[in-house]
Amino acid sequence: MADKELFRVRKEFVEGVTDELLRQLLDDLLGDGVFNQGQKDWILERNPTTTNKARDLIDTVMKKGDKASRKMIAHLQSRDPELYSKLGLTCGEPAQPAAEPQMKAAGPQMKAAESQMKAAGPQMKAAGPQMNREWSTVLLPTPKEFWEMKLNDSHVYAAAEKSIRNRKALLITNIKFTDETSNRNGAEKDEENMEKLLTGLGYEVFKFTNLTGKQIDDTVIWFSKHPKLRETDSVVVVIMSHGKLGTILGVDWTKEKSDDVFPIKNLYEHLGTENCPALLHKPKIIIIQACRKEDKGPVLVKDGAEQDVACDDALQPDDMDDIEEDAFPFAIKEKDFMPLLSCTPDTVSYRHTVHGSFLIQYIVDVFFTLAREEHIEELFRIVMLRFEDFSVRQTGGQKGGQMPTKDRCTLTKKFYFFPGI
């Protein structure tokens, strides 16, 4: 595939392209309809250096797929045959099986990068094309021209300046449990990171910590009745705790007291059109950091200073002492929901006991860097992509994986956060 061909030469292209060549390629791709004028100007104006412009160009083209990548390769061949030859590119047609070993041999830098990543963090593997991306440590603002371009787009949810100024979010984090062996070490960092991100995106954050199942339910109902919801263009609800299949666990949950839970389906009932008309036709973004497994063993997870990675499942076997997980499917019948669940059914989600959940870390990285230009479904897709080769090594030599899922999205349009507007 041509996009994989571009990825193979990404580093050399960024280092070898000149500003003039870059502008020529942008003009060519504009003429082909791969970019529109706003996208072209955006790449040129938001990046201070030629290497940054080149990196933005090739990453954007790769995301647009094989056809766009083939067009760029063809224009590069025409504009700069010397660089084209130096990169060892083809015309972008799908590679034949016999050529595959050559591609592997031509990309030693990819193997080197993967080895470095493994050495720096043995619990994780390189996540495909994302391993070369430079993630921003601050929330990058949307250019006003991009926001203005989307204002009259019938395929985009309305986001007027006044409604952006009145955004509301609900953040619930369970950290300390009645049974202290269930405490979620590192979840304080998740709470801090999510509050920082949501505030940066323009949301007034209503924050609650260490709630029982009933208190979670009461809090969601309270939020759904808040009079300020009539003024917002969207809401974000984030719940982070231990979980089981179908439920979020309250802080009083124990094996003996297993009824302290919040049913996930209640979230959609309380925020749906019937019970919350103020959110009619408005995006409801839901992020849940919790496991989705049934009971599977008699030993509770124990956090300790020596631990690096943990999970947020309620019950776990003896060989899971160095891992923590965060458990539940539900049916979304209401309109305009966009949920991201931290893992697929019958699996677990992982949390670093110092830096917080991997899901939240990745969400912050992706949103800080790309929320200025991407809609919510694409942002979540990129977060998922970072988990493509994710794995943690558990006690006993076994490996555990995690894959977040966008479960039955009911958005009918694209929703952009437009940070900084």
Side-chain angles (χ1 to χ4, degrees):
M1 301 289 285
D3 51 346
K4 292 182 179 179
E5 187 81 346
L6 284 181
F7 172 66
R8 178 180 63 81
V9 302
R10 179 180 182 276
K11 182 175 182 293
E12 290 80 4
F13 172 81
V14 169
E15 293 174 349
V17 72
T18 64
D19 190 68
E20 177 61 25
L21 174 59
L22 186 143
R23 292 175 182 273
Q24 291 173 344
L25 292 174
L26 282 169
D27 286 337
D28 292 334
L29 294 170
L30 176 65
D32 290 336
V34 173
F35 292 140
N36 58 38
Q37 187 64 49
Q39 291 170 321
K40 173 193 169 185
D41 293 343
W42 194 1
I43 289 175
L44 290 174
E45 294 171 6
R46 70 176 175 173
N47 295 296
T49 66
T50 299
T51 55
N52 285 344
K53 291 183 178 74
R55 189 178 293 111
D56 202 351
L57 168 62
I58 194 169
D59 287 349
T60 303
V61 171
M62 284 192 295
K63 285 196 299 182
K64 289 178 178 289
D66 180 65
K67 186 175 180 180
S69 299
R70 282 191 282 112
K71 289 181 181 294
M72 177 171 165
I73 291 173
H75 290 309
L76 180 59
Q77 181 182 22
S78 174
R79 294 288 187 181
D80 193 335
E82 183 177 347
L83 178 59
Y84 175 88
S85 177
K86 180 180 177 181
L87 296 176
L89 286 167
T90 68
C91 64
E93 295 297 328
Q96 298 299 318
E100 187 174 346
Q102 296 177 355
M103 290 181 64
K104 291 182 178 179
Q109 70 276 10
M110 292 173 61
K111 293 182 179 180
E114 185 172 357
S115 297
Q116 292 173 2
M117 182 171 287
K118 287 181 178 180
Q123 299 94 346
M124 299 170 56
K125 296 196 298 182
Q130 300 302 317
M131 67 182 180
N132 284 333
R133 181 180 290 280
E134 296 177 6
W135 300 108
S136 175
T137 58
V138 296
L139 185 61
L140 301 178
T142 293
K144 190 172 183 179
E145 296 77 13
F146 180 79
W147 169 65
E148 291 174 341
M149 179 176 65
K150 297 296 183 181
L151 277 177
N152 298 317
D153 190 332
S154 61
H155 298 288
V156 175
Y157 281 98
E161 190 170 357
K162 181 179 179 180
S163 65
I164 292 176
R165 298 279 187 272
N166 287 285
R167 287 175 169 172
K168 311 299 171 191
L170 177 62
L171 174 59
I172 299 174
T173 311
N174 281 351
I175 305 171
K176 304 295 184 183
F177 286 73
T178 300
D179 182 347
E180 295 183 358
T181 62
S182 295
N183 288 350
R184 301 178 63 246
N185 293 342
E188 300 92 340
K189 191 65 175 179
D190 288 340
E191 184 180 53
E192 175 188 333
N193 286 338
M194 283 308 306
E195 184 175 16
K196 179 180 178 181
L197 174 61
L198 292 171
T199 301
L201 292 172
Y203 290 86
E204 179 184 359
V205 181
F206 300 104
K207 183 173 68 171
F208 298 84
T209 307
N210 299 332
L211 302 184
T212 65
K214 185 179 186 306
Q215 288 173 335
I216 295 175
D217 195 68
D218 290 343
T219 301
V220 175
I221 293 175
W222 169 84
F223 182 72
S224 73
K225 306 300 182 186
H226 201 292
K228 291 185 177 181
L229 294 189
R230 296 189 179 278
E231 303 169 4
T232 186
D233 65 348
S234 60
V235 295
V236 178
V237 176
V238 182
I239 303 180
M240 301 182 285
S241 183
H242 288 299
K244 298 200 325 179
L245 198 64
T247 58
I248 298 294
L249 306 191
V251 292
D252 288 341
W253 187 96
T254 64
K255 183 179 179 182
E256 293 73 26
K257 187 181 178 181
S258 59
D259 60 343
D260 183 28
V261 299
F262 169 70
I264 299 301
K265 63 181 181 63
N266 288 10
L267 195 59
Y268 302 93
E269 293 175 3
H270 298 331
L271 297 176
T273 302
E274 182 177 356
N275 293 317
C276 187
L279 294 180
L280 178 64
H281 302 315
K282 297 177 182 180
K284 294 164 277 287
I285 313 303
I286 296 173
I287 298 172
I288 297 179
Q289 167 64 32
C291 289
R292 302 180 70 184
K293 284 186 72 69
E294 289 283 17
D295 294 355
K296 58 174 183 170
V299 180
L300 288 170
V301 176
K302 296 180 180 179
D303 286 320
E306 75 280 7
Q307 291 180 256
D308 288 327
V309 182
C311 68
D312 280 328
D313 193 15
L315 297 171
Q316 303 178 55
D318 293 332
D319 66 351
M320 294 284 286
D321 285 343
D322 64 339
I323 302 294
E324 278 194 0
E325 308 165 358
D326 273 327
F328 60 94
F330 54 85
I332 306 171
K333 298 180 180 178
E334 297 81 4
K335 180 176 170 291
D336 304 308
F337 279 95
M338 180 67 253
L340 183 69
L341 285 63
S342 59
C343 57
T344 53
D346 298 317
T347 60
V348 299
S349 19
Y350 294 95
R351 169 173 35 87
H352 193 284
T353 56
V354 175
H355 303 300
S357 307
F358 291 102
L359 175 70
I360 303 305
Q361 292 180 55
Y362 291 172
I363 285 177
V364 171
D365 285 346
V366 171
F367 280 43
F368 271 14
T369 309
L370 299 174
R372 61 180 178 176
E373 62 177 326
E374 298 291 2
H375 57 88
I376 185 64
E377 289 192 77
E378 178 64 9
L379 292 173
F380 280 171
R381 186 195 67 80
I382 296 171
V383 171
M384 294 166 64
L385 180 61
R386 294 194 67 185
F387 281 91
E388 194 167 40
D389 294 315
F390 174 94
S391 68
V392 295
R393 187 174 295 279
Q394 305 170 358
T395 300
Q398 294 181 331
K399 285 189 176 182
Q402 178 181 344
M403 175 53 68
T405 176
K406 297 183 290 185
D407 200 350
R408 295 177 63 178
C409 169
T410 55
L411 292 185
T412 57
K413 302 178 183 180
K414 295 178 180 179
F415 173 68
Y416 294 86
F417 287 103
F418 300 120
I421 295 300

